[in-house]
Amino acid sequence: MRAPEPMPGYGLLLRRGYGSLAAAARGCADCGWELSLRTWAESAQLGWGEALLCALGALGWTALRRAAARSLFRPFGEWCNLRPKDAAKMPESAWKLLFYTISWSYGIYLLFFTDYPFFYDPPSVFYGWQKGMDVPTDIAIAYLMQCSFYGHSIYATAYMDTWRKDSVVMLLHHVVALTLIACSYAFRYHNVGILVLFLHDVNDIQLEFTKLNVYFKHRGGVYHRLNDVLSNIGCLTFTVSWFWFRLYWFPLKVLYATCYSSLQLVPNIPFYFFFNALLLVLTLMNIYWFLYIVLFVAKVLMGQMQEVNDVREYDVEDSKKPATGKKREAGLQLPNALKEGMHLKNGLVKDKRL
């Protein structure tokens, strides 16, 4: 058994990663659509049954979210007497917190309570790789859960979630994530996929936990200090973990393994440029969102923000003012709209039912 490689630094990642990419590009004289199609036909293993199962799972997540919002999250928000704008957004965060807690917990089980060495030895994701190799059942379950959820998330971001300044980037993220998950399964790069999912899901847990505490700190018309403290703690841990998991561990563990170690262990590995390009796009989006975090911290330090808030969201109060007359003319009352499935988008009530 090979000894685990020490984790590289950013400098070694850049030197070896760039060197491997450049060498692979120089050695790929016949790269193009013809080679890509031939490689796909020879190496990809993804059946119609698996695609159908993923599509049905996406429909199932959508139906389950609607049922949970209608029967659990919205009634709970009304029982807590949340402010209307908070009651509109609370079901979204509650749903995401529930899913990502389950998925990240399962990732912890796979990486730390089984024999998979991927976290401590990332290059091991390519040990023994073969075309069409069997996918272990426990990893296949994680892939089905994640692939179907990201399929659901594309629809949810466009038609169910609160629209934010970065929602277009979020849609791109979901498309990239879904493509990575489906193609990594087809080419049997499932080992590295599990590591990627683990390094990203934890931040979503902290983000939704923080947002829920922001929504609940003014429930019942009363300020609740505990929720305010928890939201501040959540914001701090979210900022630190975002950098540590997505901008430190992700490039030094995943990108190093995919850019450099993959070619050392599996020469002429299929779709090398395709997967690394998508992973680099994912890295750029992580940097983009980190700029929002830096913006938030800067506003707090300069005294422009007195409490934790999502700087990606539009100003709900300002957006609602010009629409007040139209709502009164239509006889639409916000609490009833929330009960009937309406949702808040850009500060306005929109019907986002399928």
Side-chain angles (χ1 to χ4, degrees), residues 4-307:
E5 293 186 27
M7 193 170 72
Y10 288 112
L12 186 60
L13 167 65
L14 291 174
R15 289 196 303 272
R16 288 185 171 179
Y18 175 79
S20 296
L21 288 167
R26 289 193 299 267
C28 190
D30 59 342
C31 288
W33 284 109
E34 183 178 348
L35 177 62
S36 298
L37 292 174
R38 186 169 68 249
T39 303
W40 178 276
E42 293 174 353
S43 303
Q45 301 288 329
L46 183 63
W48 286 107
E50 293 163 319
L52 178 61
L53 189 60
C54 182
L56 291 175
L59 292 175
W61 287 122
T62 304
L64 183 60
R65 172 173 172 172
R66 291 191 181 280
R70 185 181 302 111
S71 304
L72 179 61
F73 300 142
R74 288 197 189 109
F76 184 69
E78 293 177 358
W79 180 77
C80 293
N81 195 17
L82 298 181
R83 295 182 299 184
K85 65 175 184 178
D86 295 333
K89 294 181 287 187
M90 186 274 287
E92 174 190 343
S93 291
W95 166 255
K96 291 179 180 179
L97 176 64
L98 178 63
F99 172 81
Y100 286 117
T101 300
I102 294 172
S103 63
W104 194 62
S105 299
Y106 190 61
I108 290 176
Y109 163 74
L110 290 176
L111 292 175
F112 300 101
F113 294 94
T114 63
D115 294 330
Y116 300 127
F118 310 142
F119 182 82
Y120 298 107
D121 186 20
S124 67
V125 297
F126 294 107
Y127 291 173
W129 179 89
Q130 295 178 349
K131 295 180 181 180
M133 60 190 294
D134 292 334
V135 180
T137 301
D138 50 3
I139 292 181
I141 291 173
Y143 259 74
L144 174 60
M145 181 170 61
Q146 293 278 1
C147 189
S148 59
F149 185 79
Y150 276 103
H152 149 77
S153 295
I154 293 174
Y155 167 79
T157 300
Y159 296 104
M160 299 176 71
D161 294 349
T162 300
W163 194 258
R164 299 181 174 89
K165 297 174 184 177
D166 67 336
S167 290
V168 174
V169 180
M170 184 66 73
L171 281 171
L172 175 63
H173 169 270
H174 294 337
V175 171
V176 170
L178 182 61
T179 304
L180 274 171
I181 293 170
C183 292
S184 65
Y185 179 88
F187 283 91
R188 298 308 189 251
Y189 300 146
H190 46 272
N191 293 341
V192 69
I194 291 299
L195 187 57
V196 172
L197 292 169
F198 168 78
L199 293 175
H200 283 74
D201 284 353
V202 61
N203 301 125
D204 293 293
I205 295 174
Q206 294 168 313
L207 175 62
E208 304 306 335
F209 172 81
T210 302
K211 290 164 65 176
L212 282 174
N213 278 284
V214 171
Y215 303 151
F216 277 90
K217 69 181 178 182
H218 291 297
R219 64 185 184 275
V222 178
Y223 167 77
H224 294 267
R225 183 171 181 80
L226 176 61
N227 294 108
D228 193 14
V229 172
L230 289 176
S231 67
N232 290 326
I233 294 175
C235 180
L236 177 62
T237 59
F238 170 73
T239 302
V240 173
S241 69
W242 185 281
F243 175 82
W244 195 261
F245 278 78
R246 296 196 181 198
L247 300 181
Y248 179 67
W249 272 344
F250 176 69
L252 298 185
K253 287 181 178 290
V254 173
L255 292 183
Y256 182 82
T258 59
C259 291
Y260 174 73
S261 302
S262 59
L263 285 180
Q264 303 301 311
L265 297 167
V266 187
N268 299 318
I269 189 168
F271 274 52
Y272 172 80
F273 292 107
F274 174 76
F275 283 103
N276 279 297
L278 289 180
L279 289 171
L280 288 173
V281 169
L282 192 59
T283 303
L284 291 176
M285 286 189 285
N286 288 337
I287 295 173
Y288 168 80
W289 276 309
F290 190 67
L291 295 179
Y292 272 110
I293 299 174
V294 173
L295 174 63
F296 165 79
V297 173
K299 285 188 173 184
V300 171
L301 293 178
M302 291 187 297
Q304 297 179 10
M305 184 177 293
Q306 301 300 322
E307 61 181 10

Side-chain angles (χ1 to χ4, degrees), residues 335-346:
N336 292 333
L338 293 177
K339 293 178 183 178
E340 295 176 7
M342 314 293 261
H343 202 79
L344 200 64
K345 177 176 179 179
N346 295 2

